[in-house]
Amino acid sequence: MIVLPQSLADYYERFLRSVFHPSSVAEGIDAWTNPDELELQCRWFAGDFGRQFRGTDGEAIEIVQFGEWNRGAGPDFSNVVVQVNGESRRGDLELDTQDRDWEHHGHAENPAYGDVQLHLFVVSSGRGRYFTRDHAHREVPQVRLELSVIDPRRWGQGEAISRIGRCSTPLAGMSVADVESLLAAAAQYRLKRKAQRFHRIADAHGRDEALFQLSAEALGYRHNRLPATLLAQQLPLKLLRREKEAGEALLFGAAGFLDRPTYEDAALEARPYLRNLWETWWKRREPFGEGSRGKWRFSGARPANHPHRRLGALSALVARWRDYTRLVFDAPWSKQSVTNFFASLEHHYWSNHYTLRSTALPKPMKLVGESRVTEILGNILYPIAVEEDHKSWEDYEELPARLGNEKTERAMIRLFGKRPDAEKFLRRVYQQQGLLQIYDDYCLADESDCRDCPFPEQLAKWNLP
């Protein structure tokens, strides 16, 4: 049950729909005709598309179990349980971008696809019906996934130009109280959506796996959210905890970080740690080495946020997972207790190094800094706690913001570039979250670069009851 003050969140949602009618939003999303297949698979596995569908032949189809990623050759997912017209079927699942990919990729002749129970696609070629049959001529049910049910901007697919937008004029004329109410309503709407997302993943994979996937995404930072989330989905928490010390090597190996150039370019003092990882990885890599990998981005981040180090922090978090879940789920937590927990995370290598190649730091450094802890609080822990009535909205309102990021700065320039007092709207996490929600909903949904966006004119109607 959602217990946060829904009146503001609901009011914002109604206002959003009055500015951008749902049909126009859906048309913009459906125009996303060349989506990244890995991203689609990641969102599918997180439950973003839902569980119940109608097949291309009218079948009633329900996903009972999402199964697990197939990390080798063959179908994308295995051990999936689906119901087709009430009949339960267990086997594999294949997700392609286009309906014709089943034939074009040779799945029909490949015995490895003989246990596929469902074929998913998102783009129709428009050249008639493509039937999906396996090598034994068994017809495989098909479902076309509707992109309109997800937001293609969540992984930062686009950006609005960093300049003052038309909406900055009416926003400059609004009272501080009206601006605050707009940001608070947008922030509550965002908090509600984040809570719903957590429960959607938890419904598909369990609470621990949901927390693990979202924590990995948060540690991946903005540019590496997708590859970090993919890795957490493909190497689930239950596997890593079962593997214990070997789980760390599986993380780095499956991420693609354990290769010969990395070892050859590493500082001499880093090689013993690398060698230990490799000696574990090479014995276990057979089921993991051919899995789907996201494209890690190594530029544009401070050394402390290098993907190697973020993965080191994730492995340290897995080692302390029971303490983490007790903190999040079992006991009332405070901002200070969460900060203290992340400050206590240590690793014999990663507390003293930036990368797998680097020399030691002059002194140890926290694996998870305070700004990242604030992000975890604002994006994961508070949405869960407020929605479950373990925390109040007023408590969340008091969470101070840390340093902004590039997206926050773009949003501030775009929306509040004409306000001399703009900085006062960046002091709290909820203010930044509300700002980002408005930026996502309007600036990124508008394809006219502000010219035809109805938001500036509609702002005159913002008036909370």
Side-chain angles (χ1 to χ4, degrees):
M1 179 179 65
I2 305 294
V3 296
L4 62 86
Q6 280 197 69
S7 56
L8 277 182
D10 292 344
Y11 187 83
Y12 178 84
E13 185 171 7
R14 290 194 297 271
F15 182 77
L16 170 64
R17 291 178 177 274
S18 73
V19 177
F20 284 120
H21 189 273
S23 62
S24 66
V25 176
E27 288 170 5
I29 294 175
D30 283 337
W32 187 40
T33 55
N34 191 29
D36 179 81
E37 190 166 287
L38 269 180
E39 181 176 343
L40 289 172
Q41 292 166 351
C42 181
R43 295 186 181 199
W44 161 263
F45 195 70
D48 287 355
F49 288 97
R51 284 179 175 270
Q52 296 182 334
F53 307 92
R54 185 64 62 180
T56 54
D57 285 331
E59 309 99 321
I61 294 176
E62 180 179 355
I63 306 301
V64 180
Q65 293 180 14
F66 282 82
E68 56 193 34
W69 278 83
N70 176 19
R71 293 176 289 266
D76 297 316
F77 301 97
S78 59
N79 294 320
V80 176
V81 179
V82 301
Q83 281 192 348
V84 181
N85 291 330
E87 177 191 349
S88 183
R89 304 179 183 181
R90 178 182 291 273
D92 302 329
L93 182 146
E94 177 71 7
L95 194 162
D96 290 316
T97 304
Q98 299 191 45
D99 54 356
R100 61 184 180 181
D101 287 343
W102 181 270
E103 290 291 339
H104 284 203
H105 295 168
H107 301 332
E109 293 82 27
N110 189 342
Y113 289 78
D115 200 26
V116 171
Q117 303 300 323
L118 189 62
H119 178 235
L120 309 175
F121 66 93
V122 295
V123 179
S124 176
S125 61
R127 298 180 181 178
R129 171 73 184 280
Y130 281 87
F131 291 94
T132 306
R133 298 182 184 276
D134 64 12
H135 72 293
H137 303 290
R138 177 183 60 93
E139 186 171 350
V140 179
Q142 285 182 299
V143 167
R144 180 181 181 182
L145 299 177
E146 297 294 336
L147 290 175
S148 58
V149 304
I150 66 171
D151 183 352
R153 301 158 302 191
R154 196 180 80 203
W155 301 106
Q157 294 246 343
E159 295 289 355
I161 296 174
S162 183
R163 64 170 176 78
I164 295 176
R166 287 198 308 117
C167 56
S168 63
T169 298
L171 283 168
M174 290 175 68
S175 68
V176 171
D178 283 342
V179 172
E180 284 286 5
S181 70
L182 176 64
L183 291 176
Q188 288 186 12
Y189 175 68
R190 191 176 185 88
L191 194 75
K192 177 181 175 180
R193 291 187 66 187
K194 289 180 182 296
Q196 290 171 339
R197 183 180 172 217
F198 168 79
H199 286 289
R200 190 164 58 244
I201 301 173
D203 180 59
H205 304 290
R207 297 185 87 192
D208 274 26
E209 294 293 348
L211 182 61
F212 177 58
Q213 290 179 28
L214 293 177
S215 299
E217 179 185 320
L219 290 175
Y221 286 68
R222 181 178 167 217
H223 295 303
N224 285 308
R225 287 177 180 173
L226 177 56
T229 306
L230 278 168
L231 190 64
Q233 289 181 349
Q234 294 169 0
L235 293 177
L237 176 71
K238 61 182 179 181
L239 168 67
L240 296 175
R241 295 196 68 200
R242 186 174 67 242
E243 295 290 340
K244 298 181 180 178
E245 292 81 3
E248 186 170 340
L250 295 181
L251 278 173
F252 281 94
F257 295 158
L258 298 182
D259 54 15
R260 184 178 295 276
T262 299
Y263 184 83
E264 292 177 344
D265 295 342
L268 289 177
E269 64 186 75
R271 290 187 178 184
Y273 173 64
L274 257 174
R275 188 179 301 113
N276 286 335
L277 292 178
W278 173 255
E279 287 178 352
T280 301
W281 167 246
W282 80 268
K283 301 173 185 176
R284 308 293 304 280
R285 60 180 177 172
E286 183 82 25
F288 304 100
E290 300 300 323
S292 301
R293 294 173 181 167
K295 296 179 180 179
W296 296 91
R297 178 170 168 177
F298 297 94
S299 60
R302 296 186 299 115
N305 300 334
H306 191 281
H308 290 178
R309 197 163 193 271
R310 296 301 90 221
L311 208 53
L314 184 62
S315 66
L317 184 61
V318 171
R320 294 276 307 279
W321 192 258
R322 183 167 295 180
D323 295 334
Y324 187 38
T325 55
R326 284 173 179 162
L327 177 68
V328 176
F329 297 135
D330 296 345
W333 51 263
S334 65
K335 172 181 173 292
Q336 192 58 54
S337 66
V338 173
T339 301
N340 291 343
F341 168 77
F342 280 101
S344 72
L345 287 182
E346 295 180 344
H347 190 281
H348 66 91
Y349 182 87
W350 292 111
S351 294
N352 300 281
H353 292 81
Y354 285 140
T355 75
L356 288 166
R357 297 184 174 101
S358 63
T359 56
L361 298 170
K363 60 180 181 179
M365 178 179 289
K366 291 180 181 178
L367 288 176
V368 183
E370 291 188 8
S371 63
R372 190 51 27 187
V373 173
T374 299
E375 289 291 315
I376 292 171
L377 282 164
N379 288 305
I380 305 174
L381 303 192
Y382 267 108
I384 297 172
V386 172
E387 191 258 357
E388 295 185 352
D389 203 20
H390 299 151
K391 292 287 180 183
S392 67
W393 163 257
E394 289 73 21
D395 189 34
Y396 176 66
E397 252 185 330
E398 293 301 314
L399 188 62
R402 297 292 175 182
L403 297 175
N405 54 35
E406 181 183 346
K407 186 177 180 181
T408 305
E409 293 169 0
R410 282 177 178 267
M412 179 57 73
I413 292 171
R414 193 88 174 177
L415 276 68
F416 293 113
K418 291 186 177 180
R419 286 195 71 116
D421 61 348
E423 290 299 320
K424 72 169 57 176
F425 303 121
L426 283 177
R427 295 171 182 169
R428 300 290 178 184
V429 166
Y430 86 89
Q431 293 173 315
Q432 291 190 1
Q433 290 291 304
L435 175 69
L436 290 174
Q437 188 65 44
I438 295 168
Y439 179 78
D440 286 349
D441 287 335
Y442 300 107
C443 299
L444 296 189
D446 171 50
E447 296 182 352
S448 69
D449 190 26
C450 216
R451 184 188 66 247
D452 301 327
C453 178
F455 183 53
E457 288 72 30
Q458 291 290 327
L459 273 170
K461 299 180 180 180
W462 180 261
N463 184 21
L464 282 175

